[in-house]
Each structure stands twice: as structure tokens, then as C-alpha cells.
Amino acid sequence: MPFGYASPEQIMRDKADYARKGIARGRSVVVLQYVDGIVFVAPNPSRALHKISEIYDRIGFAAVGRYNEFEELRLGGIRYADINGYTYDRSDVTGRGLANLYASNLGRIFTESIKSLEVEVVVAEVGDTKEGDAIYRLTFDGSVFDEHGFAAMGGQAEAVATRLKERYRESMSLADALEVALTALTEPGGERPPLAQLEVAVLDRNREHRKFLRLTGARLERLLAQTSNPPSSTTPPPAPSAGSEDTPPPTSPPTSPPTGPDGDVDDGSSPL
């Protein structure tokens, strides 16, 4: 046996472990159905580097892992959708076709390249009815999972998926779906991510033509205000005015200088 030989099984295991560790370092992303479509929720402190994007009229994209790697996949998906929609018909561009394209590319890279991509992707398509909705989750090795109702990936994906399973129900309103997603993304006893660090988007079947819509600003605030435990705002509360009842009364200066405590003075020589 030549020196440095590794079996194909060992090489594949090492690639898979490497990719899983890289994906687990990121923050989780949640995708779930609600009564009017599909909602994407992701903690994301960046306002320029998006984890959630639009691919085509009815198709949305979400990813975790290395940004440069899943951004290349996203752009490739947009080119595929535009070319097929222009060459044939817009209805010929489907989430399943896009998921198959991603699965083929991810599987080939995982098998042939020294380093696999550190990404996990969700392709979601909204239908005319909830029965026509589709959520496909793709892993780094090209495996495809047809998810029903919800999907979680990245970070502590198993724990997040467990909390989703406990709280998810069909035909939820958008506000209820956001409540379920934020509860699943929050560790027990932890604090929810602030509003400024949330990336939220929907595929709304009731919209004309393009179904994808980002929820930001006042619109997102109104939806989160309907939840039982909205995320904390990053804006500090205003200081009380000088004449308000919360302002403590001024105190008069002491009539004599304060004295030191009784006992020996600590000169710093005693051990902690």
C-alpha cells in the first residue's frame, strides 16, 4: 500500500465532516409555510450581504455557510431561470428544476473537488394554493430533501427543527408564523435577535406577478408587535424630562465631609 493512501470512504467522510463544521458555525435559517405562502426568517447583522433572495417570479432562495459560495449558486440559479423563462415559458421555470440543477452541481463538486462547498440551500416555490407550495432543502453533497411545512438549516439545525416541529401548525397567519420562527431560532432562556438584525421575506401567493417581498421597517415592526414576545428594539428608551414624576428630587449636599469606614485601611498588600 503506498504511503499516504486513504480509502475513498475515508476521503468522503473527511469532506463531509469539514463541510458540516463550516455550516454549523453560521446562524440558523428557518423557512415555513403560512396561510398565504412561505416565509423566510434569518438572523443576519449585515444589511448588504443577504441570506434570503428572489430567484424568479414564484421562487425564493435561502442559504447558510460561506457567503461567496452560496452567492455563486444564487447567481447561477438566476441565470438558469432567466434563460429558460425567455427560451420557453415563464411557467416552465420551477423550484424542482432549480433544485435538481443545484443538486447536480453540489454533488459533482463534492465528488470531484478536494474541498466541498460549505453551504446548505433551500429553494422554495409558492403555488396558487397551499397544496402547490414546495420547499426543497439541499445539503453540501447534493442530497435533496422535500420538506413539508417547514425547514431549518445551519447552526443548531436539529434543535431548531425540533422546536419548529413542536409549535408549527398548518394555515397560520403571517404574524403567528413569525412568532413560531423566532421562538425556534431562540435558545431556551436566551434573548431574541433585535429587529435590526432580522432578515425576513415572504413568497405571497396573493401578490401579482412577482410573489417575493422583503419585510422591513414599519411593516415588520407591525407584524412583530402582534406576536406575544416581540424582539427587543435597539433604540434606547427616552430619558425622562426635568419636570416628570420619575425624576428624583434633588438632594442637598452633605453638611460634613464623609468619613472612611471603620477598621484597618486596605493598602493593597493583602491577597485577593
Side-chain angles (χ1 to χ4, degrees):
M1 182 180 295
F3 177 76
Y5 170 80
S7 65
E9 292 83 359
Q10 183 62 45
I11 294 174
M12 292 301 175
R13 281 196 296 268
D14 291 343
K15 285 184 180 181
D17 291 341
Y18 178 84
R20 289 192 187 99
K21 290 178 181 178
I23 294 170
R25 286 195 292 267
R27 300 185 181 185
S28 299
V29 175
V30 166
V31 182
L32 69 160
Q33 287 180 277
Y34 71 103
V35 65
D36 291 325
I38 299 172
V39 59
F40 306 78
V41 183
N44 186 4
S46 175
R47 296 185 179 181
L49 307 180
H50 296 300
K51 294 182 179 181
I52 301 166
S53 300
E54 179 185 24
I55 295 291
Y56 211 56
D57 299 344
R58 295 173 169 267
I59 302 173
F61 172 95
V64 293
R66 286 190 174 272
Y67 176 80
N68 63 312
E69 294 178 351
F70 68 69
E71 178 67 6
E72 186 175 351
L73 291 174
R74 184 187 71 87
L75 294 176
I78 292 174
R79 286 192 292 268
Y80 162 86
D82 284 344
I83 291 173
N84 281 270
Y86 179 78
T87 305
Y88 305 106
D89 188 80
R90 301 185 77 89
S91 61
D92 292 326
V93 181
T94 63
R96 184 175 64 178
L98 188 62
N100 289 336
L101 174 69
Y102 284 152
S104 175
N105 290 336
L106 288 169
R108 184 180 68 255
I109 293 172
F110 179 76
T111 304
E112 298 176 358
S113 300
I114 296 176
K115 173 191 171 300
S116 62
L117 297 184
E118 299 172 58
V119 298
E120 196 164 343
V121 174
V122 162
V123 176
E125 180 180 10
V126 67
D128 294 331
T129 63
K130 66 178 183 179
E131 289 76 15
D133 295 346
I135 300 175
Y136 303 100
R137 180 172 61 88
L138 297 97
T139 57
F140 55 86
D141 59 353
S143 300
V144 184
F145 299 89
D146 184 8
E147 304 287 0
H148 299 281
F150 60 86
M153 58 182 179
Q156 304 297 322
E158 293 184 2
V160 173
T162 299
R163 292 193 287 270
L164 273 176
K165 187 176 181 180
E166 293 173 351
R167 294 168 175 83
Y168 174 80
R169 64 184 187 278
E170 293 185 357
S171 301
M172 293 185 295
S173 67
L174 180 54
D176 290 340
L178 285 174
E179 168 68 16
V180 170
L182 291 174
T183 301
L185 289 169
T186 305
E187 292 292 332
E191 293 185 1
R192 293 187 174 185
L195 180 64
Q197 296 184 11
L198 278 179
E199 184 178 0
V200 181
V202 296
L203 289 170
D204 187 348
R205 75 177 93 259
N206 297 322
R207 284 173 56 85
E208 294 292 335
H209 189 51
R210 296 176 62 180
K211 310 299 183 181
F212 185 88
L213 176 67
R214 292 192 182 277
L215 301 179
T216 58
R219 179 179 296 176
L220 181 58
E221 288 181 4
R222 287 194 300 268
L223 285 169
L224 294 176
Q226 300 175 29
T227 64
S228 58
N229 188 17
S232 59
S233 174
T234 56
T235 305
S241 59
S244 64
E245 296 180 357
D246 296 333
T247 305
T251 56
S252 58
T255 56
S256 60
T259 58
D262 295 336
D264 298 332
V265 177
D266 184 6
D267 59 0
S269 60
S270 58
L272 296 175

